[in-house]
Amino acid sequence: MEHITLLLAIVIVTALVFDFTNGFHDTANAMATTISTGALKPKVAVGMSAVLNLVGAFLSVEVAKTISGGLINEQGIRTEVIFAALVGAILWNLFTWLLGLPSSSSHALFGGLIGATLMSVGASGVNGGVVVTKVLIPALAAPVVAGLAALLATKLTYRIGRATDDKATAKGYRVGQIASAGLVSLAHGTNDAQKTMGVITLALVTGGVLAPGSNPPLWVIVSAGIAIALGTYLGGWRIIRTMGTGLTDLQPQQGFAAQTSAATVILASSHLGFSLSTTQSCSGAVMGAGLGRKGGVVRWSTATRMFVAWGLTLPAAGLVAAGAEFLTGQGAWGIVVVAVLLVAGSAGIWLASRRRPVDHTNVTAEPAAGTGLTAEPAGVVTTAIAAVTPPPPAGAAGQDLSTTIPAPAATAPDQAEPARPATV
């Protein structure tokens, strides 16, 4: 580490800041359903997730090598390019966190790297084949595969337990849900912490500290693991609310199926070197679990906003990173301006979030009207599904879709008794 320059040190710190935002942005992936079903208290859940994220960071370096030696060509890439890429990724992460949207931190990072590289050296600096096979195809496949797996797992779970009492089995499923949530956290550390390791390794290669193709040094692995664990413990409560209650109403059986399916997909992709989005995998699994229960529905209005955010992540982060790279290319003053803009933008987003805070004390509470965080309406597709699907048993989740139409009140004592309310 004795050859690290000031600029390289700034890039490493910025990469760890991104890792920190990745942690609190993606906490919902592992713990939203566990918190929403009451399997774990909010603070206990994020503490458990933080520890397992740290452990997961030490399990593999395959994804890190995909980023540091595959996504972009190391030759001719300046350290400033990586700094600009991280700026784009951090600002997009914070912006979507403010909106409570579970967008992909991974794709924000990839978009930043691609945008900054294109601005710096042009299309020759980006390995298009790697982008397609290890970023774009997994991005399309991950939510579909995880969603189908969760849908089938949910149906199987309910079929196996159809002769048992729901209340009697709920406790057992909550225990299973805790175990599956731990597996998702471990998978998240294995997959997402490596992305920061890969970026820091790439910065060390461009700075001449490491030879091209090197694995991440131990201190890089440790620092990336600690940063993502700290961010996870902070808790991305705004996104936890969206994932836990904004997409669908989950019962413990569904939460267990969703988390187990997502963890399986993520761990398999990590060991194959596919830089998968844990956010998309977990979101797809939650939607699949929502549709897998008889009478269960998905709030497609919320899901649509998520899909739009997913589609915008790569180009939006890339555009910001390209602008930042243009400024850093002007010299030292450009680097200072980009750093100031990053700090100012981050502070502005944080101050905006304080106007209507969401934390562990109100993450599962019904949002107050007029706060901008009100529960999502069911939407056209959800209402249609509910209309043709038998309703769940009394007291089950999902009955908020019913609407009571009262009959006109009697106007005179001798009038006939009014008709009973009709529920549709």
Side-chain angles (χ1 to χ4, degrees):
M1 296 177 63
E2 62 275 12
H3 300 297
I4 293 180
T5 63
L6 176 60
L7 176 59
L8 190 53
I10 292 173
V11 171
I12 292 171
V13 171
T14 307
L16 294 176
V17 171
F18 165 78
D19 205 24
F20 180 81
T21 67
N22 191 350
F24 73 73
H25 197 280
D26 290 1
T27 307
N29 295 341
M31 291 301 169
T33 58
T34 306
I35 293 171
S36 68
T37 61
L40 283 175
K41 298 292 184 183
K43 292 296 286 184
V44 175
V46 297
M48 169 183 162
S49 184
V51 171
L52 291 172
N53 265 280
L54 178 60
V55 173
F58 292 89
L59 297 184
S60 174
V61 294
E62 291 303 316
V63 175
K65 289 193 291 186
T66 295
I67 295 174
S68 64
L71 190 66
I72 62 175
N73 296 319
E74 297 167 339
Q75 292 79 12
I77 296 298
R78 299 175 298 114
T79 307
E80 291 89 336
V81 173
I82 302 170
F83 178 56
L86 290 167
V87 169
I90 290 171
L91 289 177
W92 181 255
N93 265 2
L94 293 177
F95 178 68
T96 50
W97 163 77
L98 177 65
L99 299 179
L101 291 175
S103 68
S104 171
S105 298
S106 306
H107 290 172
L109 178 60
F110 300 151
L113 284 169
I114 293 169
T117 301
L118 289 174
M119 175 60 70
S120 176
V121 298
S124 62
V126 178
N127 293 324
V130 175
V131 173
V132 171
T133 58
K134 293 203 171 185
V135 177
L136 295 182
I137 291 177
L140 296 174
V144 175
V145 172
L148 288 175
L151 187 149
L152 295 174
T154 300
K155 287 185 176 296
L156 179 62
T157 298
Y158 277 104
R159 180 174 292 276
I160 292 173
R162 66 182 181 276
T164 61
D165 180 63
D166 283 346
K167 291 184 179 179
T169 58
K171 184 177 180 180
Y173 277 113
R174 286 193 176 98
V175 173
Q177 197 177 357
I178 293 171
S180 61
L183 191 60
V184 174
S185 296
L186 194 70
H188 183 260
T190 304
N191 196 284
D192 279 46
Q194 287 189 59
K195 292 159 189 169
T196 300
M197 296 177 205
V199 169
I200 295 176
T201 303
L202 180 60
L204 294 173
V205 170
T206 61
V209 178
L210 293 178
S214 298
N215 285 338
L218 179 61
W219 67 267
V220 172
I221 297 174
V222 172
S223 58
I226 292 174
I228 201 169
L230 289 175
T232 302
Y233 184 71
L234 182 67
W237 304 112
R238 308 174 86 86
I239 300 176
I240 288 175
R241 169 173 282 176
T242 300
M243 287 279 284
T245 59
L247 270 176
T248 185
D249 299 310
L250 292 179
Q251 295 177 352
Q253 295 93 323
Q254 294 167 282
F256 173 74
Q259 290 171 316
T260 303
S261 302
T264 302
V265 171
I266 296 166
L267 284 172
S269 69
S270 294
H271 290 288
L272 291 173
F274 292 110
S275 195
L276 198 68
S277 167
T278 55
T279 298
Q280 293 181 356
S281 301
C282 293
S283 300
V286 168
M287 286 187 279
L291 293 174
R293 175 171 63 86
K294 190 175 183 179
V297 290
V298 171
R299 295 181 178 90
W300 293 107
S301 53
T302 300
T304 300
R305 292 214 310 271
M306 286 173 44
F307 296 152
V308 171
W310 292 354
L312 289 176
T313 297
L314 273 168
L319 284 173
V320 174
E325 166 56 20
F326 175 78
L327 288 174
T328 60
Q330 308 306 310
W333 69 267
I335 297 174
V336 173
V337 168
V338 170
V340 170
L341 290 175
L342 173 61
V343 173
S346 302
I349 292 172
W350 183 82
L351 289 174
S353 74
R354 294 301 87 199
R355 295 174 59 189
R356 298 187 181 100
V358 180
D359 56 27
H360 68 281
T361 63
N362 64 356
V363 66
T364 57
E366 194 67 30
T371 62
L373 295 168
T374 52
E376 283 298 310
V380 175
V381 177
T382 290
T383 305
I385 294 173
V388 299
T389 307
Q399 291 186 349
D400 57 298
L401 296 176
S402 62
T403 304
T404 300
I405 305 175
T411 57
D414 58 346
Q415 265 188 306
E417 181 182 354
R420 295 183 179 275
T423 301
V424 295

